[in-house]
């Protein structure tokens, strides 16, 4: 969630703060017990690209960009709802068979990889970089992989991350036309890799050890621990190391999550309600929002079609409507656009989800709901 927020160009803490409401809204509107949704890596990259995030932040500031992302998410939600009312979901359900077959093949391949976790071929790097929710055309996922790598590499190499890399390379690269704006990120990536004398002495080891543990840690942790424990272990260890070293004085940390200003009768909401939007951008963003809604729903269609082979029926227009409702909730609380995720849906199915309550639990169990998180740890 933190990474996806940063990929969109937003502060990392917003990924934690805004994930829950959209999931709760989706749980009440979907008709599929296995589908799980949220912000994904490709949707984050597409959002940042559609909004020209880096330039917008430079010209208008972070708060204005948050308003722009929020407004864009609302437009995606409105577009999805209108498309559902027009019956576009049923049309999209006739997605060409090879596409849904591709999703089925990917699901089968991942099941095989889970049976042989010690195998980590280079080809899986794309899976590590691109959330498998967005199994879109290969050229798009490859481009997204490169964009994500270019975005995240400075944070893995330099103590002050992307802000340092941008400052250090200011004026170094030629000004390129808007259609080639991604090339600047690639050039900055190459510069970052080619400047080892500027790498952070704590930053690089932390990043390298984290990557190794996430890739190979399951081979060394006790079998009695649940899957994914290596993620919690490395997070806990390096959080403690960061506090011990006073890393916040040296490099970037996620930082304290700001509290919401919205409250009623002494009860403080765990998320904010956005009320200010750049309405003057509507005519520019609306066509992009419609296209974004269609692209995101193509993933839903393919995932549901693959699950349909296992006897799980679904209604295309209802799922498109659910996408719209969840995006409306996401926009109202300051999140980027959300959509179906194949990997999270697989996990939900694997855990035996049989009703929409599974999605509701996901939404209520996010870190912005500490009481629910505490209850989830109690032995009953």
């Amino acid at each position: 969630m933190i990474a996806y927020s940063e990929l969109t160009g937003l502060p990392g803490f917003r990924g934690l703060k805004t994930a829950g409401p959209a999931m709760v809204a989706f749980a009440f509107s979907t008709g599929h017990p296995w589908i799980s949704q949220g912000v994904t890596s490709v949707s984050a990259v597409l959002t940042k690209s559609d909004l020209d995030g880096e330039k917008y932040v430079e010209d208008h500031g972070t708060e204005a960009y948050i308003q722009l992302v929020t407004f864009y998410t609302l437009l995606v939600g409105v577009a999805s709802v209108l498309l559902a009312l027009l019956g576009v979901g049923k049309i999209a359900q006739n997605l060409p068979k090879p596409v849904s077959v591709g999703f089925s093949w990917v699901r089968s391949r991942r099941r095989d990889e889970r049976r042989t976790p010690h195998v980590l071929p280079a080809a899986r790097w794309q899976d590590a970089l691109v959330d498998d929710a967005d199994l879109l055309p290969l050229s798009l996922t490859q481009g997204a992989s490169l964009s994500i790598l270019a975005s995240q590499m400075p944070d893995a190499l330099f103590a002050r991350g992307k802000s340092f890399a941008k400052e250090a390379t200011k004026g170094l690269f030629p000004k390129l036309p808007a259609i080639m704006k991604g090339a600047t990120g690639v050039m900055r990536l190459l510069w970052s890799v080619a400047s080892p004398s500027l790498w952070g002495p704590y930053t690089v080891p932390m990043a390298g050890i984290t990557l190794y543990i996430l890739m190979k840690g399951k081979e060394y942790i006790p079998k009695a621990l649940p899957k994914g424990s290596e993620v919690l272990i490395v997070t806990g260890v390096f959080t403690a190391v960061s506090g011990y070293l006073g890393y916040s004085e040296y490099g970037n940390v996620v930082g304290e999550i700001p509290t919401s200003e919205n409250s009623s009768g002494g009860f403080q909401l765990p998320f904010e309600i956005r009320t200010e939007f750049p309405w003057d951008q509507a005519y520019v963003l609306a066509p992009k929002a419609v296209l974004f809604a269609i692209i995101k729903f193509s993933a839903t269609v393919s995932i549901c079609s693959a699950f349909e082979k296992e006897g799980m029926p679904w209604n295309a227009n209802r799922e498109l409507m659910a996408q719209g409702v969840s995006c409306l909730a996401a926009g109202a609380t300051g999140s980027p656009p959300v959509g179906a995720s194949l990997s999270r849906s697989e996990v939900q199915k694997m855990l035996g989800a049989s009703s929409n309550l599974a999605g509701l639990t996901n939404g209520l169990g996010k870190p912005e709901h500490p009481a629910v998180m505490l209850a989830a740890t109690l032995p009953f």
Side-chain angles (χ1 to χ4, degrees):
M1 290 180 286
I2 294 173
Y4 296 152
S5 183
E6 292 182 348
L7 282 176
T8 312
L10 301 173
F13 74 84
R14 296 194 63 81
L16 297 173
K17 194 176 181 68
T18 63
M23 290 186 174
V24 173
F26 184 77
F28 282 113
S29 54
T30 183
H32 204 299
W34 294 346
I35 297 297
S36 181
Q37 59 84 60
V39 181
T40 62
S41 52
V42 172
S43 65
V45 170
L46 289 176
T47 300
K48 187 177 181 179
S49 176
D50 281 351
L51 304 181
D52 199 4
E54 287 192 17
K55 188 174 187 306
Y56 199 90
V57 171
E58 290 178 2
D59 294 343
H60 304 284
T62 300
E63 181 57 33
Y65 182 59
I66 293 173
Q67 292 180 0
L68 187 70
V69 171
T70 296
F71 188 46
Y72 184 63
T73 303
L74 287 175
L75 291 177
V76 172
V78 171
S80 299
V81 170
L82 292 177
L83 289 171
L85 292 175
L86 291 172
V88 174
K90 274 294 182 184
I91 299 174
Q93 197 167 358
N94 296 319
L95 194 71
K97 193 71 172 178
V99 178
S100 60
V101 168
F103 273 73
S104 299
W105 177 81
V106 170
R107 293 180 63 235
S108 175
R109 177 171 69 92
R110 293 220 165 109
R111 281 196 294 266
D112 291 341
E113 288 175 353
R114 283 196 290 268
R115 295 189 189 105
T116 57
H118 61 283
V119 179
L120 189 70
R124 288 184 62 186
W125 266 99
Q126 182 164 308
D127 292 343
L129 290 170
V130 180
D131 189 307
D132 48 16
D134 297 286
L135 296 176
L136 298 169
L138 183 60
S139 59
L140 177 57
T141 55
Q142 288 177 334
S145 297
L146 184 58
S147 178
I148 294 168
L149 188 62
S151 173
Q152 298 301 299
M153 186 61 76
D155 287 326
L157 299 179
F158 307 119
R160 294 299 177 186
K162 289 187 282 287
S163 58
F164 170 80
K166 288 179 182 179
E167 186 65 29
T169 58
K170 185 178 293 185
L172 184 62
F173 307 129
K175 189 173 182 179
L176 300 173
I179 196 172
M180 297 179 63
K181 58 188 176 183
T184 302
V186 175
M187 288 189 287
R188 190 174 292 126
L189 167 65
L190 296 175
W191 175 86
S192 300
V193 174
S195 306
S197 62
L198 301 176
W199 293 354
Y202 296 135
T203 310
V204 174
M206 282 185 179
I209 293 171
T210 299
L211 182 61
Y212 181 82
I213 292 176
L214 294 181
M215 293 169 65
K216 294 288 189 178
K218 63 183 71 175
E219 299 178 25
Y220 305 106
I221 64 174
K223 300 296 183 183
L225 293 178
K227 291 181 180 179
S229 295
E230 66 274 11
V231 177
L232 298 178
I233 291 172
V234 73
T235 301
V237 168
F238 279 121
T239 298
V241 170
S242 173
Y244 177 77
L245 295 176
Y247 188 78
S248 60
E249 301 295 325
Y250 167 79
N252 292 339
V253 296
V254 173
E256 183 179 354
I257 299 178
T259 57
S260 172
E261 296 178 358
N262 295 290
S263 61
S264 176
F267 173 74
Q268 192 163 345
L269 294 173
F271 51 83
E272 60 187 346
I273 302 296
R274 309 294 300 190
T275 57
E276 296 183 7
F277 308 106
W279 295 102
D280 59 312
Q281 297 290 325
Y283 74 98
V284 176
L285 298 180
K288 297 179 180 180
V290 173
L291 183 58
F292 188 102
I294 294 172
I295 290 175
K296 284 304 300 176
F297 188 62
S298 68
T300 301
V301 170
S302 297
I303 295 170
C304 289
S305 297
F307 283 142
E308 192 172 22
K309 295 180 179 179
E310 301 182 26
M312 181 57 67
W314 66 292
N315 183 294
N317 279 330
R318 178 170 180 177
E319 296 310 316
L320 181 54
M321 180 68 72
Q323 173 179 291
V325 171
S326 59
C327 280
L328 289 174
T333 53
S335 168
V338 296
S341 164
L342 176 60
S343 59
R344 296 170 217 176
S345 299
E346 281 281 1
V347 171
Q348 196 150 294
K349 172 181 174 292
M350 181 181 66
L351 293 176
S354 58
S355 75
N356 299 13
L357 288 177
L360 182 61
T361 304
N362 287 341
L364 293 177
K366 292 302 170 187
E368 68 269 28
H369 303 284
V372 177
M373 293 297 288
L374 177 61
T377 65
L378 298 178
F380 55 76

